[in-house]
Amino acid sequence: MFCRYKSIYKGWVALLFITLILSSPALKAQESTDRVMDETLLFERLYNRAMQVNEQDPTQLSKRINLLWMASLVDGDNPAVLSELGKVYGLWLNQPAVGLSMLETAFANSGNDLYIGMDLFGLAVESKDYDVAEQTALKLLEKDPNSIQILGALVSIYEESGQEELALSTLRRIKEYNERHAKRPEIIYREVSLLVSLDRREEAIQLLEEHMSENPKDPTSYSYMIALYTDWAEADKAIEVIGRALERIPDNPMIREVAVSSYAQQGRYQEAVDLILEVAKSEGATQEMISDLILSARRGAKSVTELLPYLMPVEEEIIKLLPETDLLVRGLAIEHFFVGDSIQAETLFMDLVRRETQLEEPYHYFIEQLMSEVDDESIASQIEEVLGHGLNALPEDGLIQLSAIFLSLEQGDTIAHVNRVNQAIELVPRSDQRYGMIALIKADMEQEEDNWEEAQHYYEIAITYPNPLAYNNYAYGLANRGTREDLVRAEELARRAVQMSQDDSPHALDTYAWILYLREAYTLARLYMEKSLEQMEEPDPLYYEHYALILVALEDYHGAIEAWQNALDAGGDADKIAIEMAQLREMMDKSELEQ
């Protein structure tokens, strides 16, 4: 009974919507003087208004659906409105089954209209309903048997559904109907691919040979045939095709790369490097061109270890031939690392550093190797040289700038440190993940100078990068310098710092505990403070001070006395601690008297 009333109610609501539309000022102005509108005119008015709504605008989608739905109430069999509703449900509302049903009805009602059919075909393919897609394409072909568009779509359906024989016959039908399409390379290669999948190798090769005879300078056909022979382990035939290709189009980059890769894949390393050297000696050779060939050799090689004894001497020779060689020197250095010759590799990297290469790897390598030993004077001078060249060559590099900041801090040069931080803030792009750490250092520096507003600005930037230290430092700053309302945000930031550091950072645990104390959550504060003390590597007087204050709040005076003593032993401010302990003893005496 309820469903019946619900259906009646829905009908009345639809009627009300239509009535409202008819009574709107915009429509009234367009109505004829007799104010009579037949169903056809009403349908057209609703449908046309729906089609004027921008379907790409998500905010307008519901309006479009409502207008189409009301139009369907006037004429539920109209293919145009059913087609549009089908696309809305299938493509926008993620209800492909409903959309397909509507589009199938629209297609049938339209007498197999081409455009509705193509919409139905597209949704069927996207929904992987290959039966509907195939039937739709076949019906469309009944009206236009030679349609290249529909035949091509049908080939795709057969390929997607694993029906290679049908795909092949349909593709050949395209070639029969259209001589221009029959000669197109993409049609040829598609047919070759289908023949290969059907294991009809001789036909595939014959088709490629015919295409190559008509297009002797098409590099793709040679590459395809070389790849096929290589896959079929017919090395001699692959080499023969390489020879033909190099003879007909010797300067083609694709053929060179395929040839080098194929030689290396078959273990013919000398032939591979000879071809690389030949190209390097040719007019117009560049380091980029040679690097691509070397990369092809490495990728194709049966064994890189076996390839390198052939390749590395040739690379050394090529480096002497070309005017620009940074890419090649970097590659050779990496190969020396690979074979265990780190001394020669570092020599090559240092040569690149001293010529102030635009490649980042040499600088990054020395930074990662040396920064941890910067307290050694000889190491410090070496890292200074690397960073000096790096700042000149790549001033926007985040790692180089950050390392220069740490070096100035390590050396105790305050002025240089401030200048480095400010320079890095200006030069390093925010897309560099290290900018987050630079912003954090800037924020901490401004906070130490009591420039809290400036510090907040950079803390806000720093926390947009995944760094628990940024959350921790900002939270501590908010807790100590912000307003009472800032404590809520401070607690949230501190909690995230603890979560990101997986409860093993004494700094994060201490900050969180301190903020919980300020928010008067004393029991929880004690729990996290004790975790912090457990994780602490060296005694920190500030941590013990925080712990003492938390214990006082919990009226654990004896524990607080012990915590203050630990703070004193750790090097805390003796005068401050003496005052705190004196006040604490007064509180203890008063508490005992009251008891």
Side-chain angles (χ1 to χ4, degrees):
M1 183 66 71
F2 175 77
C3 293
R4 177 173 176 271
Y5 287 132
K6 184 177 180 182
S7 175
I8 293 171
Y9 174 73
K10 184 176 180 182
W12 277 106
V13 169
L15 185 58
L16 176 61
F17 281 159
I18 294 171
T19 303
L20 288 172
I21 287 175
L22 292 176
S23 63
S24 69
L27 288 179
K28 282 184 177 180
Q30 300 175 29
E31 287 176 344
S32 61
T33 54
D34 60 2
R35 310 179 68 83
V36 176
M37 180 181 291
D38 60 21
E39 287 190 357
T40 301
L41 184 57
L42 173 59
F43 171 83
E44 289 177 356
R45 186 68 58 80
L46 291 167
Y47 179 76
N48 289 338
R49 286 190 64 190
M51 299 309 292
Q52 290 170 9
V53 176
N54 183 7
E55 65 179 341
Q56 303 296 327
D57 185 353
T59 64
Q60 298 293 304
L61 184 59
S62 61
K63 180 179 179 181
R64 184 182 178 89
I65 294 172
N66 287 336
L67 288 167
L68 289 171
W69 176 67
M70 286 187 285
S72 72
L73 291 176
V74 179
D75 185 356
D77 295 325
N78 188 282
V81 74
L82 286 173
S83 171
E84 292 301 324
L85 279 171
K87 288 190 288 183
V88 167
Y89 277 96
L91 300 175
W92 296 102
L93 299 181
N94 198 26
Q95 298 183 46
V98 176
L100 280 174
S101 176
M102 289 182 169
L103 279 166
E104 285 185 273
T105 304
F107 186 50
N109 292 353
S110 70
N112 298 349
D113 176 80
L114 172 64
Y115 296 105
I116 295 176
M118 292 307 294
D119 287 336
L120 172 59
F121 177 84
L123 182 58
V125 171
E126 188 170 316
S127 307
K128 298 191 183 303
D129 192 334
Y130 297 125
D131 290 338
V132 170
E134 180 184 3
Q135 292 305 314
T136 303
L138 291 173
K139 287 177 182 177
L140 290 171
L141 284 172
E142 290 174 5
K143 301 188 73 173
D144 186 1
N146 300 336
S147 170
I148 299 300
Q149 182 183 14
I150 299 168
L151 286 169
L154 194 56
V155 172
S156 298
I157 285 298
Y158 290 139
E159 285 179 321
E160 288 282 341
S161 57
Q163 301 179 75
E164 285 88 358
E165 286 284 6
L166 285 172
L168 181 61
S169 62
T170 306
L171 185 66
R172 286 177 169 173
R173 188 171 162 185
I174 293 174
K175 294 174 68 177
E176 290 172 9
Y177 290 142
N178 193 305
E179 186 176 345
R180 182 172 60 84
H181 277 74
K183 300 295 184 181
R184 288 171 61 176
E186 61 268 28
I187 297 293
I188 300 295
Y189 300 142
R190 198 169 185 181
E191 185 176 358
V192 169
S193 176
L194 288 167
L195 288 168
V196 170
S197 66
L198 291 167
D199 202 28
R200 290 158 65 172
R201 297 184 179 184
E202 289 184 7
E203 290 180 65
I205 293 297
Q206 181 181 350
L207 186 59
L208 276 176
E209 289 283 9
E210 291 172 0
H211 179 68
M212 286 161 59
S213 66
E214 295 178 8
N215 303 273
K217 294 188 180 297
D218 176 16
T220 305
S221 54
Y222 295 102
S223 301
Y224 202 165
M225 189 177 288
I226 292 165
L228 289 177
Y229 279 134
T230 301
D231 288 343
W232 298 337
E234 298 184 37
D236 291 341
K237 291 182 178 179
I239 295 300
E240 185 272 327
V241 177
I242 289 172
R244 271 196 282 161
L246 288 172
E247 181 181 341
R248 291 176 180 175
I249 40 177
D251 297 331
N252 186 273
M254 179 190 293
I255 292 301
R256 288 169 171 173
E257 289 181 23
V258 170
V260 167
S261 178
S262 298
Y263 284 141
Q265 191 172 0
Q266 295 171 32
R268 302 168 75 132
Y269 302 126
Q270 191 61 55
E271 289 171 87
V273 299
D274 285 347
L275 179 54
I276 294 172
L277 183 58
E278 180 184 333
V279 174
K281 290 179 177 179
S282 65
E283 186 178 353
T286 65
Q287 64 169 341
E288 289 80 12
M289 185 188 300
I290 304 305
S291 293
D292 288 342
L293 291 176
I294 291 171
L295 184 60
S296 296
R298 289 178 188 150
R299 286 176 174 170
K302 289 171 61 178
S303 166
V304 175
T305 304
E306 293 176 3
L307 168 68
L308 290 182
Y310 294 88
L311 181 60
M312 292 171 72
V314 169
E315 288 177 297
E316 291 173 357
E317 186 175 348
I318 293 172
I319 287 169
K320 297 174 184 176
L321 293 174
L322 300 179
E324 295 182 5
T325 58
D326 284 10
L327 290 173
L328 301 176
V329 173
R330 177 186 63 182
L332 184 58
I334 292 170
E335 289 166 357
H336 277 291
F337 279 122
F338 184 83
V339 299
D341 188 355
S342 59
I343 294 176
Q344 182 59 26
E346 288 182 354
T347 299
L348 291 170
F349 265 178
M350 187 54 76
D351 287 343
L352 288 173
V353 167
R354 286 172 177 154
R355 70 170 80 166
E356 297 192 347
T357 179
Q358 296 293 302
L359 303 174
E360 65 179 27
E361 288 90 344
Y363 307 106
H364 288 193
Y365 169 79
F366 287 116
I367 287 170
E368 290 164 5
Q369 292 293 313
L370 304 175
M371 278 302 291
S372 60
E373 303 176 44
V374 75
D375 52 343
D376 183 313
E377 288 187 13
S378 61
I379 298 294
S381 62
Q382 192 175 355
I383 193 65
E384 276 191 81
E385 180 186 4
V386 171
L387 291 176
H389 291 302
L391 290 169
N392 288 336
L394 299 171
E396 74 288 348
D397 186 286
L399 181 60
I400 295 173
Q401 288 284 2
L402 191 58
S403 301
I405 289 169
F406 286 142
L407 182 63
S408 64
L409 189 64
E410 181 71 26
Q411 293 173 336
D413 189 338
T414 305
I415 296 175
H417 177 67
V418 171
N419 290 338
R420 288 283 181 223
V421 173
N422 290 331
Q423 183 184 59
I425 284 290
E426 292 297 323
L427 295 175
V428 177
R430 291 198 183 185
S431 57
D432 190 319
Q433 285 299 307
R434 299 174 187 91
Y435 188 89
M437 180 58 76
I438 295 168
L440 175 59
I441 294 170
K442 173 70 171 173
D444 289 342
M445 188 173 75
E446 294 295 344
Q447 183 177 187
E448 289 176 9
E449 295 296 320
D450 288 329
N451 299 325
W452 176 239
E453 287 188 9
E454 191 75 0
Q456 269 195 291
H457 169 72
Y458 287 105
Y459 277 132
E460 289 290 347
I461 295 172
I463 62 173
T464 63
Y465 298 81
N467 184 352
L469 189 59
Y471 292 116
N472 177 80
N473 292 12
Y474 191 16
Y476 197 74
L478 280 172
N480 292 326
R481 293 176 179 269
T483 64
R484 187 75 183 171
E485 290 73 22
D486 287 333
L487 282 177
V488 176
R489 179 127 192 262
E491 182 182 345
E492 177 190 344
L493 292 168
R495 182 169 58 251
R496 292 182 70 177
V498 169
Q499 291 169 345
M500 290 181 71
S501 56
Q502 299 180 340
D503 284 3
D504 63 359
S505 166
H507 308 294
L509 291 165
D510 169 68
T511 298
Y512 191 37
W514 179 242
I515 293 169
L516 289 170
Y517 163 77
L518 294 175
R519 299 205 69 199
E520 300 180 4
Y522 302 127
T523 302
L524 198 56
R526 178 177 187 168
L527 174 66
Y528 279 97
M529 196 65 241
E530 288 174 351
K531 281 186 179 182
S532 175
L533 294 173
E534 289 172 7
Q535 300 288 346
M536 186 171 55
E537 294 180 3
E538 294 183 5
D540 189 317
L542 183 61
Y543 290 10
Y544 286 118
E545 288 181 20
H546 287 168
Y547 189 39
L549 292 171
I550 292 169
L551 293 177
V552 170
L554 290 168
E555 298 184 1
D556 182 355
Y557 301 132
H558 292 287
I561 287 286
E562 183 181 348
W564 280 119
Q565 185 60 52
N566 287 334
L568 183 62
D569 294 342
D573 187 330
D575 293 337
K576 175 186 174 183
I577 293 172
I579 293 170
E580 291 286 350
M581 292 181 73
Q583 291 176 348
L584 184 54
R585 288 193 175 93
E586 287 181 13
M587 293 170 65
M588 292 172 65
D589 292 340
K590 183 179 179 182
S591 176
E592 289 174 0
L593 287 172
E594 288 176 353
Q595 292 177 359

